[in-house]
Amino acid sequence: MEAADVVAQAARELRQRLPTVPCLATVLGSGLGGLAEALEEPVSVSFDELPGLPSATVAGHGGRFVGGRLDGVAVLLQCGRVHGYEGATAEQIVTPVRILASLGVETLLITNAAGGVRPGLAPGDLVLINDQIDLTFRPLSTAAPTPGAARSERLGDPFDRVVSGAIRDAARDCGVPLGGGTYAGLHGPSYETRAEIRMLARMGVDVVGMSTVSEVAAARAAGLRVAAISLVTNLATGLSPEALAHEDVLAVGSAAAGRLTRILGAAIPRLEPSSQSTGAK
Ligand code: HPA
């Protein structure tokens, strides 16, 4: 079956399972899935139950969509994602996003864990991503299901100002500090070398991670409006006296995830019905 047909079939199956088709979806990175517990009438569909999604061995376990309502607003959560460093291809990484687009989702809020590159950032900080640099060297193929996807001009201004503004307003109302910055996506799985971090800092990078950039490219190609938030789980290599430990990254993630969940919980009801997009559709 063609990739586009598989995506359409997965979207059909998901539509049958969900009580309502949401206009809005959120990609929750690992350790950031707490929002699922806040959903009213949740319906969970595991990645394994849908065609086209990489098997659990590639995806890591636990990838699932959870549909439900937040303050009455229908929302679909993508809990977990696949990464290039797990062996997934660019097309596999963006398949969940393409399924969301095929389902009719119009707005996508992406979250990730990231290392802080800009001086002054600290573990636990939240950063609203206002631009991105794709250093994964993982282009989406020209055979992408969305016509023109590989050459989409919508990536010139990837993050929607209205959606990002709603998130900023939500953070302010929740009393949660939220800065802004540029995200660089690298392939991983190793954290960067000191020299790579010096290079990224000179390039104007504020936060660095191993996800998001391909998802944003695919979502923009499909015409979705996109906003994204990084949770700074650690200072990037060389910026802290202690060596980076994966366990520390996870611990900070779970402690700060509650604040990110509060922001999303406050932002989502503001985003429905869908307000005017500022990005080219
Ligand atoms: N580098 C890359 N990815 C990350 C980091 C980092 O320092 N922290 C969390 N994800």
Side-chain angles (χ1 to χ4, degrees), residues 6 9 15 29 42 52 84 87 114 130 166 173 185 194 202 226 228 259 264:
V6 175
Q9 192 187 326
R15 190 175 292 121
N130 46 38
D173 292 355
R194 288 161 192 267
R202 285 192 193 143
V226 179
R259 279 181 287 128
L264 292 174

Side-chain angles (χ1 to χ4, degrees), residues 119-191:
L121 284 174
D125 284 353
L126 296 171
V127 176
L128 184 67
I129 300 177
N130 46 38
D131 211 339
Q132 71 175 30
I133 301 178
D134 185 348
L135 296 172
T136 62
F137 305 105
R138 188 176 58 211
L140 292 173
S141 91
T142 48
T146 318
R151 274 176 287 148
S152 171
E153 282 136 36
R154 296 177 187 133
L155 205 50
D157 195 5
F159 297 101
D160 190 274
R161 285 186 206 96
V162 170
V163 181
S164 295
I167 290 175
R168 255 194 309 272
D169 291 349
R172 192 196 50 229
D173 292 355
C174 295
V176 176
L178 179 67
T182 296
Y183 175 92
L186 276 70
H187 184 275
S190 300
Y191 287 160

Side-chain angles (χ1 to χ4, degrees), residues 85 112-117 183-184 186 188-192 197 200 207-211 231-237 244 246 249:
Y85 63 76
N112 59 49
V117 176
Y183 175 92
L186 276 70
S190 300
Y191 287 160
E192 300 68 34
I197 293 301
L200 294 175
V207 283
V208 59
M210 303 175 197
S211 66
L231 164 59
V232 176
T233 51
N234 57 280
L235 297 187
T237 311
L244 280 182
H246 189 54
V249 171

Side-chain angles (χ1 to χ4, degrees), residues 198-260:
R198 285 197 301 274
M199 173 191 76
L200 294 175
R202 285 192 193 143
M203 288 165 79
V205 169
D206 298 296
V207 283
V208 59
M210 303 175 197
S211 66
T212 302
V213 288
S214 302
E215 293 162 357
V216 171
R220 292 301 296 136
L224 271 62
R225 35 182 217 166
V226 179
I229 305 177
S230 284
L231 164 59
V232 176
T233 51
N234 57 280
L235 297 187
T237 311
L239 301 182
S240 133
E242 296 103 50
L244 280 182
H246 189 54
E247 299 70 46
D248 297 342
V249 171
L250 294 181
V252 172
S254 62
R259 279 181 287 128
L260 180 52

